[in-house]
Amino acid sequence: MAALWVLEPLATSPGDGRWTGSSGAVNGGEAERESLFEGKNMALFEEEMDSNPMVSSLLNKLANYTNLSQGVVEHEQAEDSQRREARSPGMGTLIGVYLPCLQNILGVILFLRLTWIVGAAGVLESLLIVSMCCICTMLTAISMSAIATNGVVPAGGSYYMISRSLGPEFGGAVGLCFYLGTTFAGAMYILGTIEIFLTYISPSAAVVRAGAAGSEAAALLHSMRVYGTCTLALMATVVFVGVKYVNKLALVFLACVLLSILAIYAGVVKTAFDPPDIPVCLLGNRTLSRRGFDVCAKTHSTANGTRTTALWGLFCNGSEPGAACDAYFAQNNLTETQGIPGVASGVLLDNLWSAYAAKGEFVDKKGVPSVSVPEEGRAGGLPYVLSDITTYFTMLVGIYFPSVTGIMAGSNRSGDLKDAQKSIPTGTILAIVTTSFIYLSCIVLFGACIEGVILRDKFGEALQGNLVIGMLAWPSPWVIVIGSFFSTCGAGLQSLTGAPRLLQAIARDGVIPFLQHPWATGSGQEQLFKPGVLEHGAHLPESSASHMAVGDPVWDTGCHPAPASAAESRALWAPGGVTSRVWASGWRPGSPLLCTPASGTCQLARHLAPGGAPAPGSHAAVHLQVFGHGKANGEPTWALLLTALICETGILIASLDSVAPILSMFFLMCYMFVNLACAVQTLLRTPNWRPRFQYYHWTLSFLGMSLCLALMFICSWYYALLAMLVAGCIYKYIEYRGAEKEWGDGIRGLSLNAARYALLRVEHGPPHTKNWRPQVLVMLNLDAEQRVKHPRLLSFTTQLKAGKGLTIVGSVLEGTYLDKHAEAQQAEENIRSLMGTEKTKGFCQLVVSSSLRDGMSHLIQSAGLGGMKHNTVLLAWPQSWKEADNPFSWKNFVDTVRDTTAAQQALLVAKNVDLFPQNQERLSDGNIDVWWIVHDGGLLMLLPFLLRQHKVWRRCRMRIFTVAQVDDNSVQMKKDLQTFLYHLRISAEVEVVEMVENDISAFTYEKTLVMEQRSQMLKQMQLSKTEQEREAQLIHDRNTASHSAGAARAPAPATPDRVQMTWTKEKLVAEKHKNRDSGVSGFKDLFSLKPEWGHLNQSNVRRMHTAVKLNGVVLGKSQDAQLVLLNMPGPPKNRQGDENYMEFLEVLTEGLDRVLLVRGSGREVITIYS
């Protein structure tokens, strides 16, 4: 059984983002509402208060609104019964932006890898690497500053900026990439922490020992996996318990970073006059690891004589002077050089150029004499310093780039800033300038102070396992070791704090379906709730405005009425209730909230059917997600768990050098789209693009975007392709399955501009015959409940169009727009829903007109825009045209045919459309028969070709029939038609049907008589009811008298009172083969059967004769066809014969199941030329 949650009203105090009290305008009756405005001087606008609030009221609500701090500030309740109170934002540029950016940018790469990068790439190429990365982040910061100062940036930071600028597809894809980058950054920081601990603080703490020579690196990776997993679990627990502990330690971690950097600069200054004594042992020109010996000599003299050293024992089989030794050891001398000669030593010139090496190569010093040994083996166990990985320029770029990330720290804290639009640009750009100076200066100083072999010694093996940068620092190496340990630990905590909140922001936006899952379990029974606070700890998601339509109420995690952000305002709550915008939407305080816990959705039951069930289509769903849900204090619990699991995959990689390029890809992609967002918004010049930060230009954004893309492929082309593939898959997934959001994004504006440009180009002239395709206007009829009468018409449209070209689905409501506004909206929703069900891709256009005739004419004339107008009209045959209660259906139909002809548009009329196949059906066999009577521009032959592209009609064969007259050569006609189809590249069977001229049968005369009698009846339908009855009686009496007179003169049977319009094939054959005289006397005999036949309109008789004969021929050939396409004859020029025209078409198509009457537009639509 589902849990029952009761919602009760909750009053809060002003100033905390919520309002108290009750409003008579909301909760009271009409009398209270009138008293609210009594005595006011705004009575003129009294009736508009429901939809437009007073300016003073709006400004008061905006002033009292407080955006809760995001990301790093925890809001916990002092007691469960007390409300949460938001801390007023008051951080300035220094504390809120500059120092957090500084702490995020300076980190593990600076302490653990920068010296090694300088040694491998040289000073010049290292400056190039750092300059490229810093320029990239600076250009991104300029673009980000423009976006961040164009409005309030709530939770989500960069994700919010990208999604609101480029749309939910780009926002979701890049947001998830940025989330993955932040998560892998946490793994990198944790690995850096463990590397510092196991390599420089306590090497003996390794849980996995090297079992054989050369397996030290693998053992270290295994130990890092074990310690990294434990550290990740500990950090996740700290974050879960409360972010306030992380925030309290943030200043400690920042102090460690700053003190470490100051110690480096102090050490550099000290080397100028007092370089440290740090000897490095070289064997020939190869650097030796000093982990297993102290004395850099082969032998040393003692009182008892010369003795071998510990180094001798490492290279020789024994400690005796005559023991067999390694050949290179025996032929080369041992020398010592200063590892840190000082800034005045001139070593900078030696370190200017790169010294890339392959994996396993010796770290050697150039310029030192060395005796090479032929076929020397690099046996494991010898104390050489070797390159652990192959180094090259692009790989070093990928490893270094994470050291310049972290520029989004300020924008992520926008809610905590006193003046975000001033602090974010200033603080971020100053932080980038500061860190760029630190990195560039450190590169030059490292190259000027430290020997090249020490720079290329990644783990400080030649320094007895000490951190290289620590040996340079003053006053002690432990300042750097301890400082870097705590700084990387703090950076890992910050990543584990920020990444779940980013995922939470993405989940709450509701654009990615797989992040939306039920957050509670139950039987799935729907229950109704009133606005207020959810009991039992359950609550609605924060910032749910992004999931709801305009006018829907907004709820925060405490289920208090809360306003949306200024940038995305949905419905603001007035003191004590909602504003009039919510009233206008049909929602009222106290209206039920329909929740289905098992499905994870709550719906606002705007209109309830009897029994409390919501009326169809009257809800706005609010999805409740796992990853958008957290603890009562807002902590994203499930998002933290997922972040820890993803972070564990990075821990299992264990290599810092392998993890760094992965997160470089994700960060670079995020920065690339930030630049793209700024460039698009600037070029579009949308009215809402008014950033306070003025020092930006679209060329800078475009340059930054290009640089980001180039750096992605420079770092690792296969990682770049993989990251782009992941982002592309997420983009298409959101586009296919995600929720549609209208955020006023730049991509939508770009699409509008592109559409405008294309429309202006298309406007220049009609399309060429080769580019012609049916751009269809589908005319739908609606019933009394505003539902579509013939849904199969949309199915046929989908099969005909296959998503190509223009499709406009139109309909007409009879009445005035003011009275039918609600019905028009409901009808449009029903049509759009049916279009989605039938997968009809197009536009819906509904017109409210005083008459159906005028409305259809308006649609035919004005539907479409510019060159994107319809050229074909598709409608269903009016089945009720014979019914007395619908006297105008035939008139509207005939006038629509005339309108399409006047507009030079093609017309398709589907008869028996309810028998047409649905999109799910597959016609396994059968024919599509085309009866080509007159040339219509080739539309008759093009339509079956287009239909057979769809899987419903794909297995059907196409047959083309044409009619030969007496003077035609049917054999030659068939050959010519086959040749024509061959040049048209259309495969079809061809058959020429000969229709011999013969006399008009009595059956035709009888059909014509009945038709004219019905026509006379239809004309009288426009009279009053009394006149209708009197006129019908007169017609009946006249017909009865005629029948009596005819019966007295000839033994013909009397005409039945009601003539059936359907007839059998046997009757047709009997009439066709009946022997008739061709002379005048024969006609007189024929008229003697029924004298009234002689008074018939001979034009009508001839037309009926053609319809009867052609129908008989079509039935004989195509009665079993899946679809029959016929030339549709035009209506008579004389409007007096409109009702006869309907009868001709009825007779022409009688006995056929599926018929498509086709009337061309008068232009060629198919060509034999390429």
Side-chain angles (χ1 to χ4, degrees):
M1 181 176 178
L4 177 63
W5 302 314
V6 181
L7 295 94
E8 298 294 336
L10 179 67
T12 55
S13 60
D16 60 353
R18 308 176 183 89
W19 292 267
T20 59
S22 62
S23 172
V26 179
N27 299 323
E30 185 66 25
E32 294 182 8
R33 184 174 178 274
E34 292 178 358
S35 65
L36 182 66
F37 300 104
E38 185 177 356
K40 305 292 183 182
N41 55 4
M42 289 295 171
L44 181 62
F45 301 94
E46 179 176 327
E47 294 184 356
E48 299 185 17
M49 296 300 176
D50 285 351
S51 58
N52 301 304
M54 293 285 293
V55 173
S56 58
S57 174
L58 177 65
L59 294 178
N60 180 56
K61 283 174 279 188
L62 292 176
N64 289 334
Y65 170 57
T66 296
N67 190 3
L68 300 182
S69 54
Q70 306 118 7
V72 297
V73 178
E74 182 184 42
H75 305 280
E76 293 186 348
Q77 298 177 349
E79 295 178 0
D80 293 339
S81 61
Q82 295 180 351
R83 299 185 310 272
R84 295 178 295 131
E85 294 184 359
R87 192 171 58 191
S88 299
M91 289 192 292
T93 303
L94 180 67
I95 301 297
V97 180
Y98 179 74
L99 292 180
C101 286
L102 211 65
Q103 180 181 1
N104 280 268
I105 295 173
L106 300 173
V108 61
I109 301 297
L110 171 64
F111 300 117
L112 296 183
R113 293 293 183 269
L114 189 58
T115 55
W116 173 70
I117 291 174
V118 174
V123 174
L124 296 180
E125 292 188 21
S126 298
L127 290 175
L128 178 60
I129 292 174
V130 174
S131 299
M132 283 195 309
C133 297
C134 291
I135 290 173
C136 175
T137 54
M138 176 61 75
L139 295 175
T140 303
I142 292 173
S143 300
M144 181 198 70
S145 300
I147 298 174
T149 57
N150 193 50
V152 178
V153 179
S158 59
Y159 159 71
Y160 185 91
M161 290 189 292
I162 294 173
S163 62
R164 269 54 176 184
S165 298
L166 295 181
E169 294 86 1
F170 278 108
V174 181
L176 281 184
C177 288
F178 190 53
Y179 163 75
L180 293 174
T182 307
T183 304
F184 275 100
M188 184 187 72
Y189 291 130
I190 292 174
L191 289 175
T193 303
I194 302 305
E195 182 177 314
I196 293 172
F197 176 74
L198 292 179
T199 307
Y200 307 113
I201 297 179
S202 179
S204 60
V207 294
V208 179
R209 304 290 179 180
S215 61
E216 293 85 358
L220 176 64
L221 294 180
H222 290 314
S223 297
M224 290 181 67
R225 291 184 179 99
V226 175
Y227 277 101
T229 302
C230 298
T231 305
L232 174 63
L234 179 62
M235 288 185 176
T237 303
V238 171
V239 174
F240 175 78
V241 170
V243 198
K244 62 182 180 181
Y245 303 109
V246 179
N247 298 331
K248 290 178 180 178
L249 294 174
L251 289 177
V252 177
F253 299 144
L254 178 60
C256 292
V257 174
L258 297 179
L259 287 176
S260 300
I261 294 174
L262 291 177
I264 293 172
Y265 283 113
V268 170
V269 173
K270 180 178 178 296
T271 61
F273 53 86
D274 184 18
D277 183 19
I278 304 176
V280 177
C281 186
L282 301 175
L283 177 60
N285 63 352
R286 301 176 184 176
T287 309
L288 298 181
S289 173
R290 300 196 73 150
R291 292 183 183 271
F293 65 94
D294 295 327
V295 179
C296 183
K298 296 181 181 180
T299 59
H300 64 96
S301 300
T302 61
N304 297 328
T306 302
R307 291 192 154 195
T308 59
T309 61
L311 186 58
W312 180 280
L314 296 175
F315 282 93
C316 301
N317 293 334
S319 58
E320 298 80 10
C325 297
D326 179 76
Y328 188 85
F329 178 77
Q331 298 185 27
N332 286 276
N333 298 323
L334 288 168
T335 57
E336 278 190 335
T337 184
Q338 284 298 321
I340 303 180
V343 70
S345 63
V347 73
L348 176 63
L349 297 176
D350 298 331
N351 294 329
L352 284 178
W353 310 108
S354 61
Y356 299 119
K359 180 179 180 180
E361 285 191 8
F362 299 105
V363 177
D364 53 7
K365 179 176 172 59
K366 295 180 176 61
V368 177
S370 174
V371 178
S372 60
V373 177
E375 299 182 1
E376 58 178 281
R378 300 180 182 179
L382 298 180
Y384 291 122
V385 179
L386 305 175
S387 297
D388 63 329
I389 59 174
T390 301
T391 55
Y392 44 92
F393 179 80
T394 57
M395 186 266 292
L396 295 180
V397 174
I399 293 177
Y400 172 76
F401 187 82
S403 64
V404 297
T405 59
I407 62 174
M408 300 290 184
S411 63
N412 291 342
R413 299 171 177 233
S414 60
D416 300 325
L417 301 176
K418 184 183 300 183
D419 187 358
Q421 298 191 358
K422 177 182 177 182
S423 298
I424 289 177
T426 306
T428 304
I429 293 176
L430 283 179
I432 293 176
V433 170
T434 303
T435 53
S436 300
F437 171 77
I438 292 174
Y439 282 126
L440 293 172
S441 62
C442 283
I443 288 174
V444 176
L445 295 177
F446 291 163
C449 294
I450 305 175
E451 180 61 50
V453 292
I454 299 301
L455 289 174
R456 297 195 298 277
D457 184 5
K458 184 189 292 187
F459 300 108
E461 296 179 50
L463 303 179
Q464 296 181 338
N466 290 313
L467 185 62
V468 175
I469 197 172
M471 301 302 292
L472 176 64
W474 182 86
S476 170
W478 287 101
V479 175
I480 297 294
V481 173
I482 300 300
S484 61
F485 177 81
F486 282 109
S487 69
T488 52
C489 185
L493 283 172
Q494 293 289 347
S495 297
L496 289 180
T497 302
R501 281 161 177 74
L502 178 59
L503 184 63
Q504 186 181 43
I506 299 173
R508 283 176 173 173
D509 265 348
V511 297
I512 303 179
F514 64 74
L515 295 181
Q516 300 177 12
H517 295 285
W519 54 273
T521 57
S523 62
Q525 184 178 1
E526 294 180 341
Q527 298 164 6
L528 298 177
F529 304 96
K530 295 182 179 180
V533 181
L534 288 169
E535 293 184 354
H536 306 304
H539 58 274
L540 289 172
E542 191 172 337
S543 303
S544 60
S546 58
H547 311 287
M548 301 162 67
V550 176
D552 293 340
V554 182
W555 303 75
D556 68 3
T557 51
C559 291
H560 308 293
S565 65
E568 195 180 6
S569 178
R570 298 294 188 191
L572 299 175
W573 286 70
V578 297
T579 62
S580 52
R581 274 198 294 168
V582 181
W583 302 340
S585 71
W587 192 89
R588 297 291 188 277
S591 296
L593 181 68
L594 184 67
C595 291
T596 308
S599 65
T601 60
C602 281
Q603 296 177 328
L604 299 173
R606 296 183 179 178
H607 307 285
L608 291 181
S618 62
H619 309 309
V622 181
H623 296 283
L624 307 177
Q625 316 93 350
V626 168
F627 301 109
H629 172 62
K631 297 191 296 184
N633 57 13
E635 292 301 321
T637 308
W638 292 104
L640 175 61
L641 178 61
L642 179 64
T643 301
L645 293 176
I646 298 176
C647 191
E648 177 63 19
T649 61
I651 298 294
L652 295 178
I653 296 175
S655 174
L656 185 68
D657 303 322
S658 300
V659 174
I662 297 177
L663 64 99
S664 294
M665 293 300 110
F666 293 124
F667 278 119
L668 278 168
M669 182 169 293
C670 178
Y671 295 166
M672 179 177 69
F673 280 99
V674 169
N675 286 291
L676 176 62
C678 182
V680 168
Q681 295 280 27
T682 306
L683 289 173
L684 290 178
R685 298 179 181 178
T686 53
N688 191 56
W689 179 246
R690 305 184 301 272
R692 292 187 179 274
F693 181 76
Q694 298 295 324
Y695 305 101
Y696 70 94
H697 195 267
W698 70 267
T699 54
L700 296 177
S701 300
F702 186 79
L703 179 61
M705 181 184 67
S706 303
L707 188 56
C708 288
L709 183 62
L711 284 175
M712 287 178 65
F713 283 91
I714 287 175
C715 293
S716 175
W717 65 268
Y718 46 88
Y719 277 156
L721 292 177
L722 181 62
M724 295 174 73
L725 178 63
V726 171
C729 291
I730 297 173
Y731 177 92
K732 297 305 292 183
Y733 175 77
I734 296 174
E735 185 181 51
Y736 179 68
R737 294 287 306 277
E740 293 184 3
K741 302 289 182 180
E742 178 51 62
W743 287 333
D745 52 87
I747 294 298
R748 184 65 60 87
L750 191 63
S751 301
L752 290 175
N753 271 332
R756 171 185 169 274
Y757 174 78
L759 284 174
L760 291 176
R761 292 290 301 272
V762 174
E763 184 74 13
H764 291 168
H768 191 272
T769 303
K770 291 185 291 187
N771 296 326
W772 194 95
R773 66 167 57 245
Q775 318 286 6
V776 180
L777 169 63
V778 186
M779 306 290 284
L780 296 180
N781 294 325
L782 304 176
D783 58 16
E785 297 180 357
Q786 315 307 332
R787 290 180 298 195
V788 178
K789 286 185 178 180
H790 304 292
R792 298 286 181 94
L793 201 60
L794 282 182
S795 302
F796 182 72
T797 304
T798 303
Q799 298 158 20
L800 178 65
K801 300 291 292 180
K804 307 295 182 183
L806 175 69
T807 301
I808 302 175
V809 180
S811 187
V812 180
L813 282 183
E814 194 169 8
T816 61
Y817 185 70
L818 292 179
D819 298 334
K820 295 287 186 177
H821 176 67
E823 288 87 342
Q825 282 189 332
Q826 182 63 44
E828 191 166 348
E829 289 180 6
N830 293 341
I831 293 175
R832 291 186 187 278
S833 175
L834 182 61
M835 290 174 66
T837 303
E838 299 294 341
K839 298 181 180 180
T840 304
K841 297 180 180 180
F843 307 97
C844 177
Q845 188 166 351
L846 190 136
V847 173
V848 181
S849 179
S850 57
S851 67
L852 294 177
R853 166 73 186 89
D854 292 340
M856 296 178 72
S857 179
H858 293 160
L859 278 177
I860 293 173
Q861 295 176 59
S862 61
L865 179 64
M868 287 296 289
K869 292 181 67 68
H870 62 279
N871 54 31
T872 305
V873 178
L874 172 63
L875 66 159
W877 173 262
Q879 300 287 351
S880 60
W881 74 274
K882 300 178 186 178
E883 298 177 3
D885 58 348
N886 194 8
F888 298 105
S889 62
W890 62 271
K891 188 67 175 175
N892 293 336
F893 176 81
V894 177
D895 287 341
T896 302
V897 176
R898 287 196 174 98
D899 287 342
T900 57
T901 304
Q904 296 183 343
Q905 297 172 2
L907 177 65
L908 308 179
V909 179
K911 190 177 181 186
N912 301 326
V913 67
D914 293 330
L915 300 178
F916 278 50
Q918 291 182 323
N919 292 329
Q920 297 78 17
E921 297 181 34
R922 300 293 180 268
L923 301 179
S924 58
D925 196 10
N927 300 313
I928 300 177
D929 287 355
V930 177
W931 284 84
W932 192 20
I933 311 300
V934 295
H935 181 58
D936 59 349
L939 184 58
L940 267 173
M941 285 171 286
L942 183 62
L943 291 177
F945 171 79
L946 295 176
L947 280 175
R948 292 181 67 236
Q949 307 304 308
H950 197 275
K951 45 194 172 184
V952 172
W953 304 91
R954 188 165 295 161
R955 297 180 181 273
C956 293
R957 296 177 300 276
M958 179 177 171
R959 297 191 304 182
I960 296 182
F961 298 90
T962 188
V963 177
Q965 301 298 322
V966 177
D967 299 332
D968 294 331
N969 186 343
S970 58
V971 176
Q972 187 62 37
M973 281 182 64
K974 183 173 183 180
K975 291 181 180 179
D976 293 342
L977 183 55
Q978 289 174 337
T979 304
F980 183 55
L981 292 176
Y982 174 79
H983 289 300
L984 289 177
R985 290 90 63 198
I986 293 178
S987 299
E989 299 178 17
V990 175
E991 186 172 344
V992 177
V993 179
E994 296 181 353
M995 290 184 63
V996 180
E997 287 289 343
N998 52 15
D999 295 333
I1000 301 174
S1001 66
F1003 177 75
T1004 301
Y1005 278 104
E1006 184 64 27
K1007 296 285 289 187
T1008 308
L1009 176 63
V1010 174
M1011 177 190 72
E1012 291 194 353
Q1013 290 176 353
R1014 179 179 286 109
S1015 299
Q1016 192 173 2
M1017 290 287 292
L1018 291 174
K1019 289 177 182 178
Q1020 302 304 322
M1021 291 298 180
Q1022 301 176 10
L1023 304 176
S1024 63
K1025 183 177 180 181
T1026 305
E1027 291 173 334
Q1028 289 178 22
E1029 294 175 354
R1030 183 171 61 251
E1031 188 69 21
Q1033 184 62 38
L1034 290 175
I1035 295 173
H1036 182 269
D1037 294 342
R1038 189 185 308 121
N1039 291 337
T1040 304
S1042 300
H1043 296 163
S1044 301
R1049 289 191 297 268
T1055 304
D1057 291 339
R1058 189 179 66 168
V1059 179
Q1060 298 291 337
M1061 295 303 297
T1062 58
W1063 48 282
T1064 63
K1065 182 179 179 182
E1066 291 75 12
K1067 187 175 181 180
L1068 169 68
V1069 174
E1071 290 288 341
K1072 186 171 66 173
H1073 293 288
K1074 186 184 299 182
N1075 294 324
R1076 294 178 296 272
D1077 298 331
S1078 58
V1080 178
S1081 59
F1083 281 101
K1084 292 181 178 180
D1085 294 340
L1086 186 63
F1087 291 144
S1088 67
L1089 295 177
K1090 282 193 175 183
E1092 60 267 28
W1093 288 357
H1095 302 289
L1096 294 175
N1097 188 320
Q1098 293 303 309
S1099 176
N1100 290 340
V1101 173
R1102 289 195 305 272
R1103 288 189 173 92
M1104 182 62 72
H1105 174 65
T1106 302
V1108 170
K1109 287 206 64 177
L1110 188 57
N1111 178 262
V1113 173
V1114 173
L1115 273 179
K1117 299 288 185 179
S1118 303
Q1119 191 169 17
D1120 297 328
Q1122 298 287 3
L1123 179 65
V1124 177
L1125 285 81
L1126 275 169
N1127 279 118
M1128 181 178 179
K1133 295 180 180 180
N1134 183 6
R1135 292 178 178 269
Q1136 300 299 323
D1138 287 355
E1139 61 276 3
N1140 298 334
Y1141 174 69
M1142 299 295 294
E1143 191 74 45
F1144 294 145
L1145 296 181
E1146 189 77 55
V1147 172
L1148 180 64
T1149 56
E1150 272 186 327
L1152 299 173
D1153 290 336
R1154 302 187 187 117
V1155 183
L1156 186 66
L1157 295 173
V1158 180
R1159 182 164 175 78
S1161 61
R1163 62 161 295 172
E1164 294 293 331
V1165 300
I1166 194 168
T1167 178
I1168 64 175
Y1169 299 103
S1170 61

